[in-house]
Amino acid sequence: MHQTTKPSTITNGSVGRHLDDVSVVIKTFERPESLKILLDSLLIYYPDIPVIIIDDSREPLDDNLFDARTRYVHTEHNIGLSEGRNRGVALSETEFTFIMDDDFVFTKDSRLDLLRMPLVHGGFSVSGSRMINFGLDEVVYHGSMQVEGSVLKLEME
């Protein structure tokens, strides 16, 4: 794991929560429209987080799609999900790396800081979350999360 020299800062409750020790790896394949939506949502809610994109599509994407915080790597065709993710993680220079698919979308309710919390305070090595299918009108989770020692506690409302 790469050690950072900058401390993490989290501005709770604000759009654009800032996490100095977090980067995002996105593996994409033949879905530029989905990738664009994800990148737009990251720019809105996490504008400072470094992004690494591993793309094994047949043709490379237009560089105009990416901003300065984005590192785009076009690989040989169809290297697969695991190989692409492994290459992205290897390029990450932050202490924590979140891996996501190209069809994820961040909203005002997305909380990377909560995914980071058990890694920092709970002694965990891996953190994950439930995904919401935007085609459904159901609430997946409402509540709070606390780390006590090495135990992660979720409290439902």
Side-chain angles (χ1 to χ4, degrees):
M1 202 180 304
H2 175 77
Q3 294 293 353
T4 61
T5 57
K6 295 178 5 180
S8 300
T9 53
I10 302 171
T11 306
N12 287 322
S14 69
V15 171
R17 294 171 196 93
H18 190 77
L19 304 168
D20 289 339
D21 57 359
V22 171
S23 62
V24 170
V25 169
I26 303 167
K27 166 61 180 70
T28 190
F29 179 75
E30 304 291 350
R31 295 197 298 190
E33 298 83 15
S34 293
L35 179 63
K36 172 75 169 116
I37 292 168
L38 169 56
L39 292 174
D40 287 348
S41 70
L42 268 168
L43 187 60
I44 292 167
Y45 297 104
Y46 296 97
D48 298 318
I49 289 182
V51 177
I52 301 165
I53 299 170
I54 305 297
D55 179 12
D56 59 346
S57 301
R58 191 170 306 278
E59 298 296 324
L61 296 172
D62 184 353
D63 288 338
N64 292 329
L65 185 63
F66 313 115
D67 59 23
R69 71 192 169 120
T70 304
R71 180 170 182 184
Y72 174 74
V73 178
H74 185 256
T75 69
E76 55 274 21
H77 183 251
N78 201 14
I79 62 171
L81 183 62
S82 296
E83 176 65 19
R85 287 178 173 175
N86 287 337
R87 288 187 190 189
V89 169
L91 294 172
S92 177
E93 297 179 353
T94 58
E95 186 172 359
F96 304 107
T97 305
F98 292 111
I99 301 170
M100 58 191 60
D101 295 333
D102 57 7
D103 61 350
F104 284 19
V105 177
F106 285 89
T107 70
K108 64 179 178 53
D109 297 319
S110 299
R111 298 290 305 269
L112 286 180
D113 55 313
L114 291 181
L115 279 174
R116 180 185 165 280
M117 190 182 302
L119 304 174
V120 173
H121 302 291
F124 294 93
S125 298
V126 176
S127 178
S129 68
R130 292 184 79 175
M131 307 312 303
I132 297 174
N133 180 345
F134 285 104
L136 302 175
D137 290 331
E138 68 180 86
V139 174
V140 176
Y141 170 77
H142 277 293
S144 62
M145 179 179 83
Q146 298 177 30
V147 178
E148 295 178 13
S150 61
V151 178
L152 177 65
K153 294 187 175 189
L154 297 175
E155 296 177 13
M156 302 298 284
E157 289 180 351

